[in-house]
Amino acid sequence: GRLGLGGASLDDLTISGEGKRAFEAEQVRVRLEWPGLFNPRVAGVDVDVPVVRGALSDGRLTFHGLERLTSPGGGSSGSTFPAFQISDGRILIETSAGEVGASVSASGLFPKDARASLTLDPASLDGAEGSISWTGGTAELSARDGQLEGQTDIALEEVRTDDVHILNAKLVARLEAGTEADSAAQLVWDGQVAEATGADFSVAGMVTSGQVRLNALTGATPGEILAAVTGADIQLEAGKAQWTDYAAESVRAEASLHGQDGHISGPVDIDLTKLSLPQGRAGQLVVAGDLDWATETGFGFAGQVNASKAALADTFSGSFLSRVSLPAPLTAHGDSLRAALRRALSN
């Protein structure tokens, strides 16, 4: 290593913790500035070929004690980061199902002008709780003048657990937000799933897209997230879909929602074809109306439901028609009327 007034450099740096190597780098260079005679300041940090190692166990990600070196401490809220350059970096995470690896690079001065990218290695992990395999994924993040822009793209080959099986899924998501904690944000996504099945559901050929606009989040619970929503546009299409005893040949749904002060409302349209349910069947079912949600009252819906080419199941129509009766001496005519209605409701 070298040390001088302009900075310092370390070669073949290794940091170990918990009996394992947590960090290593071919070279680390620290550049110093001297705004005052006895007042040095870190102007920049360059790291060549760093490798960060961690472990995921019981849902908790650790880096063999390295995270304690970067835990929040005495820095003030107004502190700024020095310029940095990370070249040819690697992140390696041990899991019970195998190792996950990614390449990473980053540079700039956060939050004024910085960028970072991560490329996930293809992997196939198989453990006691299930298996997952992907062909790869990328994540990019940039900051400029206090504004963040990020994009992630991941392609899953297969996910299998005791409850869910997913084949050929892809997600592309983009995020725009400020760097301050109280900044508004916008999330835009496009996704597709070739097939997904579970104990009570199945869906094929699902495609979804949309965007959600949020004010500053006060927490991560579903209620707190919904309370932060100021607008959402959601589209979803799918081929065959089934949930418990309900099935459809195709599904299309759209929603355009607006939120203010914890109250979300807006039009919703749902179109199902060749619908089958315990009460009967329909060639097409169209639902159109307004969805409403508030913290105090929960969800509500007001609209119309239209069915075409519909027929009721014999058990359901029989229960319904049992209420149709005529007084004597027209009782026989009532039997004929029920028979005629039963034929009509079944075709």
Side-chain angles (χ1 to χ4, degrees):
R2 294 175 295 277
L3 177 64
L5 293 177
S9 67
L10 293 171
D11 299 327
D12 300 323
L13 174 65
T14 299
I15 300 175
S16 298
E18 302 173 351
K20 296 184 177 182
R21 285 183 299 172
F23 175 85
E24 58 187 89
E26 286 188 2
Q27 187 177 70
V28 177
R29 298 180 299 277
V30 179
R31 302 190 305 276
L32 297 178
E33 291 180 346
W34 296 81
L37 181 59
F38 299 104
N39 184 25
R41 181 177 64 193
V42 176
V45 178
D46 299 338
V47 185
D48 295 339
V49 199
V51 180
V52 178
R53 291 182 169 83
L56 179 64
S57 178
D58 298 326
R60 183 168 175 260
L61 179 62
T62 62
F63 292 92
H64 307 309
L66 188 65
E67 62 273 11
R68 291 194 289 270
L69 300 177
T70 59
S71 61
S76 65
S77 60
S79 63
T80 59
F81 294 92
F84 61 90
Q85 175 84 39
I86 298 173
S87 304
D88 301 323
R90 294 284 293 165
I91 299 176
L92 302 174
I93 306 297
E94 296 176 0
T95 77
S96 60
E99 186 179 74
V100 177
S103 299
V104 62
S105 64
S107 63
L109 182 65
F110 186 85
K112 185 178 180 180
D113 186 9
R115 59 199 56 83
S117 66
L118 181 146
T119 302
L120 198 62
D121 298 345
S124 180
L125 307 179
D126 194 352
E129 297 180 354
S131 62
I132 181 172
S133 60
W134 58 79
T135 56
T138 62
E140 296 181 355
L141 180 67
S142 64
R144 188 171 182 84
D145 297 328
Q147 291 295 313
L148 287 175
E149 292 186 6
Q151 177 167 314
T152 183
D153 183 341
I154 187 167
L156 297 174
E157 285 187 326
E158 184 177 17
V159 178
R160 185 187 295 273
T161 70
D162 292 338
D163 301 317
V164 177
H165 183 208
I166 300 173
L167 287 174
N168 297 327
K170 185 174 182 179
L171 175 67
V172 178
R174 298 182 297 279
L175 174 69
E176 296 179 1
T179 56
E180 300 295 331
D182 58 352
S183 299
Q186 176 174 271
L187 176 67
V188 182
W189 75 87
D190 291 281
Q192 59 189 51
V193 177
E195 183 180 342
T197 57
D200 296 322
F201 78 94
S202 66
V203 64
M206 186 178 74
V207 178
T208 179
S209 62
Q211 60 176 321
V212 174
R213 300 173 295 280
L214 305 113
N215 279 326
L217 288 171
T218 59
T221 67
E224 290 168 326
I225 294 174
L226 287 172
V229 172
T230 59
D233 298 292
I234 303 168
Q235 298 84 38
L236 184 146
E237 294 185 5
K240 289 184 177 181
Q242 172 262 328
W243 177 66
T244 62
D245 296 327
Y246 301 82
E249 191 71 19
S250 67
V251 178
R252 183 188 63 81
E254 292 185 5
S256 182
L257 307 175
H258 302 277
Q260 184 176 5
D261 299 328
H263 179 215
I264 299 174
S265 62
V268 174
D269 295 289
I270 302 174
D271 190 339
L272 308 174
T273 64
K274 295 184 179 180
L275 178 65
S276 172
L277 60 161
Q279 293 82 1
R281 64 183 187 276
Q284 183 177 29
L285 183 73
V286 178
V287 180
D290 291 312
L291 180 70
D292 188 272
W293 179 87
T295 306
E296 301 80 8
T297 59
F299 284 97
F301 179 81
Q304 293 183 339
V305 179
N306 297 312
S308 61
K309 299 181 180 179
L312 295 178
D314 289 342
T315 54
F316 185 79
S317 62
S319 174
F320 173 75
L321 293 174
S322 65
R323 299 182 177 89
V324 178
S325 62
L326 295 176
L330 302 176
T331 305
H333 295 287
D335 294 339
S336 298
L337 177 60
R338 283 194 300 272
L341 290 174
R342 183 176 290 108
R343 287 194 297 271
L345 293 172
S346 300
N347 294 283

